[in-house]
Amino acid sequence: MSTLEEILNIKYPIIQGGMGNISNATLASSISNAGGLGTIGVGTLTPQEIEIMIIETKEKTSNSFCVNIPLSVNPYVKEMINLVIQYKVPIVSLSAGNPAPFISLFKDNGIKIISVVASVKQAIKVEKLGVDVVVAEGYEAAGINSALETTTLTLIPQIVKEVNIPVVAAGGIGDGKGLAAMLALGASGVQMGTRFIATKEAPFHPNYKEAIIKAQDGNTVIVGRTFGKIRRLIDTPYAQSLLELEKKGTAELFQEKTSEHYHKVGAIEGKLTDGFINGGQIAGLIDDVPTVEELLKKMVNEAKKQLQQVFVKLNTYEDSE
């Protein structure tokens, strides 16, 4: 089996999450240039907006990058697929829907396929369909989450046991120790979103970055359980207003108040009383704003050190028959 790095043509086994509607060419290209896999998340954006972003990303990096298409979210799926093919984007990530109808089209055009899953059943299914890589996302992750609420720690080893393609761990990872832990569980790499928000190249509002830096272990909140629309956010005044809305509002109003308009108001404009900001549970561990290159190098070096320490410790134990 080819390695994750070989399949995606990357130096480090670190992938950027989709960050629909607020991802951008600057951050994606910086991650790719630093040796990871940068990603453009199409979210609910238009084909015209994504075309501009793809062109800009290609101008800023000659390395591999990815386009994430949430199949049940974006109203222009056919057009997005055509753009990926037209501009020869090397990798596509498919999430929030059934990838089956699109697999052969991407394969015929030499495009590698990542599928985002939240269960063993989904992972087995997409492997049979012929995807190249599985991203298994646990409940710790930022943004829209699976109703299964399975943690990354329990999800990864179960999926690794059942599939033969590379498995990338997502949710709750933000440093080298997290990378080492996921590799120890059998994952081939990691995907991160929240950690990349707090980087120098990420063009998000300083209020967003500051909220992540200040966050402690209990400063994320789940909204949307009442309406079956689970989403993990940084706990802000707007997030609290969404919890109140669940008690007395309607599903339609909740859907409106968690639309991408309010995502941009929080993340891009920095108005934390008028819009929301996604954030994973790993936010409590983040306390600096490095460059992307500094982050990736530090993570890999820290992972090496951590795994070496574990190896030394294990070698002090007597073998048992």
Side-chain angles (χ1 to χ4, degrees):
M1 181 180 73
S2 299
T3 67
L4 178 72
E5 292 86 347
E6 290 169 342
I7 292 170
L8 303 181
N9 193 24
I10 55 178
K11 181 179 180 180
Y12 301 129
I14 301 171
I15 298 174
Q16 176 194 0
M19 298 184 190
N21 287 68
I22 65 166
S23 64
N24 53 82
T26 299
L27 180 58
S29 61
S30 295
I31 292 168
S32 290
N33 285 332
L37 183 69
T39 300
I40 296 169
V42 307
T44 59
L45 297 175
T46 66
Q48 292 77 19
E49 290 171 306
I50 294 301
E51 182 173 22
I52 292 170
M53 209 177 296
I54 290 173
I55 292 171
E56 185 181 352
T57 302
K58 289 175 74 71
E59 289 174 348
K60 291 184 174 182
T61 185
S62 58
N63 293 341
S64 291
F65 70 97
C66 176
V67 170
N68 170 252
I69 304 174
L71 298 171
S72 63
V73 174
N74 190 277
Y76 310 103
V77 169
K78 182 179 179 181
E79 291 85 350
M80 295 301 179
I81 291 171
N82 289 337
L83 284 174
V84 169
I85 294 171
Q86 176 186 345
Y87 286 97
K88 296 180 172 58
V89 177
I91 302 156
V92 67
S93 168
L94 304 176
S95 59
N98 179 16
F102 315 107
I103 300 297
S104 60
L105 182 59
F106 287 122
K107 283 190 167 294
D108 289 346
N109 285 276
I111 296 166
K112 300 297 184 181
I113 307 163
I114 298 172
S115 182
V116 182
V117 303
S119 72
V120 173
K121 181 179 179 180
Q122 292 172 354
I124 293 172
K125 177 182 177 181
V126 298
E127 181 185 31
K128 289 179 179 178
L129 290 173
V131 306
D132 299 285
V133 175
V134 167
V135 169
E137 186 171 78
Y139 179 61
E140 300 94 326
I144 298 172
N145 269 313
S146 167
L148 297 174
E149 300 191 12
T150 309
T151 65
T152 307
L153 181 67
T154 56
L155 182 63
I156 296 306
Q158 293 183 71
I159 290 182
V160 168
K161 181 181 177 182
E162 298 296 336
V163 302
N164 294 309
I165 56 177
V167 176
V168 173
I173 303 138
D175 63 5
K177 290 181 179 179
L179 171 59
M182 293 304 110
L183 294 176
L185 288 174
S188 296
V190 298
Q191 176 175 288
M192 305 189 302
T194 304
R195 174 66 268 200
F196 280 127
I197 292 165
T199 57
K200 284 186 168 60
E201 293 91 341
F204 307 127
H205 198 279
N207 289 348
Y208 192 177
K209 296 183 182 184
E210 184 180 11
I212 290 175
I213 295 299
K214 289 185 175 180
Q216 298 179 349
D217 59 336
N219 289 138
T220 68
V221 62
I222 292 291
V223 302
R225 279 199 182 99
T226 304
F227 305 118
K229 301 288 185 180
I230 296 174
R231 183 189 293 265
R232 187 178 295 281
L233 308 176
I234 298 292
D235 192 359
T236 62
Y238 192 84
Q240 287 299 316
S241 73
L242 291 174
L243 290 174
E244 288 299 315
L245 177 59
E246 283 192 68
K247 297 177 183 178
K248 54 188 177 183
T250 64
E252 291 75 18
L253 183 56
F254 181 84
Q255 186 76 9
E256 177 193 340
K257 293 296 184 180
T258 53
S259 70
E260 286 303 319
H261 166 74
Y262 293 98
H263 187 193
K264 289 180 179 179
V265 169
I268 305 300
E269 299 178 22
K271 299 176 181 177
L272 305 188
T273 59
D274 301 317
F276 64 87
I277 48 175
N278 292 327
Q281 286 185 314
I282 199 62
L285 190 67
I286 299 170
D287 58 10
D288 63 347
V289 183
T291 66
V292 167
E293 184 177 14
E294 289 169 344
L295 173 62
L296 266 59
K297 287 182 176 179
K298 181 179 179 181
M299 282 185 63
V300 171
N301 289 334
E302 186 179 44
K304 287 180 183 178
K305 181 179 178 181
Q306 189 67 25
L307 290 172
Q308 286 168 353
Q309 289 176 347
V310 171
F311 180 76
V312 170
K313 182 176 178 62
L314 290 175
N315 275 340
T316 65
Y317 303 148
E318 293 184 6
D319 291 338
S320 57
E321 297 296 333

